[in-house]
Amino acid sequence: MTKREAAIAAVSTPIGEMWLVAEPEGVVEAGWTRLEPPPKRDGVRACASPEALALAERAAEELTLYFAGRLRAFTVPLAPRGTAFQLAVWASLCDIPFGARVSYRDIASAVGRPRAVRAVGQANRANPLPVFIPCHRVVGADGRLVGYAGDALDLKAWLLEHESRVLRAQTLS
């Protein structure tokens, strides 16, 4: 896989611009522009594979639907890169229901390492696909918001409140 097969997309959200990188096998990275610039990949648009371009477009559409309150679960293929432990943690995060909150301890138990609470926190911090892999749904054991995207707790709070609003609106209708 060469870097030139990847496609980069930008998505405007209610809480700032996000970028994402897709390769033919799935979305590999995403981030908040205010926290980190998108990766520089010369000639990405001109040399991206058709599969990567299609996945980038689909991922951008799904993010837009999520932020509009019309999507609860992403279906675009994800292809994060990490250690076996990180991949297990991220897979467990994807099992957290929309609008739910779990603790780092819950995730440590879910991956069969109940004493690895700090390691779960580090895996969350290394999550290359925020929002797609919902690390924002993980809170401290006492329910407090802790750790998110370089200490951008305002983003975490907004995402959790957004999901709560969507669930309330759907319950009322």
Side-chain angles (χ1 to χ4, degrees):
M1 174 84 42
T2 66
K3 288 184 178 184
R4 293 189 302 172
E5 291 178 330
I8 298 176
V11 180
S12 181
T13 80
I15 50 177
E17 185 172 274
M18 288 188 74
W19 54 265
L20 59 92
V21 177
E23 293 179 354
E25 69 274 9
V27 183
V28 295
E29 299 179 70
W32 300 98
T33 302
R34 84 175 214 202
L35 300 175
E36 59 184 312
K40 293 188 184 210
R41 297 187 181 193
D42 296 333
V44 169
R45 280 271 172 217
C47 298
S49 72
E51 298 86 2
L53 284 170
L55 283 175
E57 288 174 12
R58 180 173 161 200
E61 289 170 13
E62 287 192 7
L63 272 176
T64 299
L65 290 170
Y66 168 86
F67 282 105
R70 297 180 20 222
L71 183 77
R72 288 186 182 197
F74 295 98
T75 61
V76 66
L78 305 178
R81 294 183 181 103
T83 66
F85 179 75
Q86 288 172 329
L87 293 171
V89 168
W90 300 335
S92 185
L93 297 179
C94 290
D95 292 335
I96 304 169
F98 182 91
R101 297 177 190 194
V102 302
S103 71
Y104 291 93
R105 184 175 299 135
D106 294 332
I107 298 299
S109 293
V111 299
R113 303 265 311 271
R115 296 179 57 152
V117 175
R118 287 183 188 226
V120 165
Q122 291 303 314
N124 262 19
R125 180 179 297 269
N127 177 5
L129 290 164
V131 184
F132 291 101
I133 297 175
C135 59
H136 60 277
R137 297 178 187 156
V138 183
V139 297
D142 61 1
R144 285 184 308 120
L145 301 187
V146 293
Y148 185 75
D151 296 322
L153 289 179
D154 60 316
L155 295 176
K156 184 173 193 163
W158 192 96
L159 291 166
L160 290 170
E161 180 54 32
H162 167 69
E163 291 182 4
S164 292
R165 278 190 309 269
V166 169
L167 289 175
R168 283 193 306 270
Q170 291 174 347
T171 301
L172 296 175
S173 56

